[in-house]
Amino acid sequence: ALIFGTDNAQHGEKMARKKREVKKPGDPKPKKPSAPRKRRIKEKKFSCELCGAKATSMWYINRHMRLHTGEKPFVCEYPGCTYKSYRKFHITRHVINIHSTERPHKCELCDYSAKTRENLRQHNLSRHAPGHFEPCEFCDFRAKLKEGLRSHVRKC
């Protein structure tokens, strides 16, 4: 068969290559380069009558209204603690940060341990991140932390 735009020899080579690449049952599928997923953005149809804040569902607006009313239905259950919040997550975070003595998040580079993953991330950024050094404007000294730089500048 004559194929326009190519010579028949090239076409024959292409077909032979395709035949060699025939899939057998049970062969894993070749991975296609993944295209960035398009994130569906929901329309914010609901809004707060008091401040105009918008949300994708009425549930969020109802929760948001607690800010205006001052309602705090979630209470810390530790004896003697009076902390209350309009969100349950705030109670969970409060208990971890205030009442817990457990420090499950260990630094891999030193013996620091943190109560939360976020605290460990902040530690790593301030103590161990390469290139995160504060330069002295008067000499070649570089400090890992701003506090260290401040004390150096006083002496410099």
Side-chain angles (χ1 to χ4, degrees), residues 4-64:
F4 295 101
T6 65
D7 87 31
N8 283 336
Q10 284 178 334
H11 178 69
E13 288 172 22
K14 231 185 234 184
M15 295 308 291
R17 235 181 288 126
K18 281 190 176 183
K19 284 182 184 176
R20 282 191 298 256
E21 295 171 5
V22 171
K23 295 269 177 227
K24 295 177 187 122
D27 280 354
K29 290 183 179 180
K31 291 186 178 180
K32 294 179 183 176
S34 60
R37 287 187 165 204
K38 288 185 180 178
R39 194 169 175 199
R40 196 178 92 199
I41 299 171
K42 290 183 179 179
E43 186 182 343
K44 294 184 176 184
K45 298 176 186 175
F46 304 90
S47 62
C48 173
E49 296 172 359
L50 299 175
C51 71
K54 295 190 177 289
T56 56
S57 83
M58 198 60 198
W59 181 88
Y60 287 107
I61 294 297
N62 289 336
R63 182 179 74 180
H64 166 82

Side-chain angles (χ1 to χ4, degrees), residues 78 92-107 111-123:
Y78 271 77
T92 305
R93 186 177 60 195
H94 161 82
V95 168
I96 290 169
N97 287 328
I98 305 300
H99 301 297
S100 175
T101 56
E102 192 177 327
R103 293 175 159 273
H105 305 278
K106 311 283 183 209
C107 178
D111 30 335
Y112 176 80
S113 58
K115 289 183 178 183
T116 66
R117 227 178 357 197
E118 175 59 19
N119 290 350
L120 179 60
R121 190 183 75 77
Q122 288 293 332
H123 162 81

Side-chain angles (χ1 to χ4, degrees), residues 66 70-95 99:
R66 292 179 191 155
E71 178 190 3
K72 295 183 178 181
F74 302 101
V75 180
C76 178
E77 295 180 1
Y78 271 77
C81 185
T82 58
Y83 183 78
K84 297 177 182 179
S85 179
Y86 76 101
R87 289 187 64 187
K88 189 175 183 178
F89 166 74
H90 293 168
I91 297 295
T92 305
R93 186 177 60 195
H94 161 82
V95 168
H99 301 297

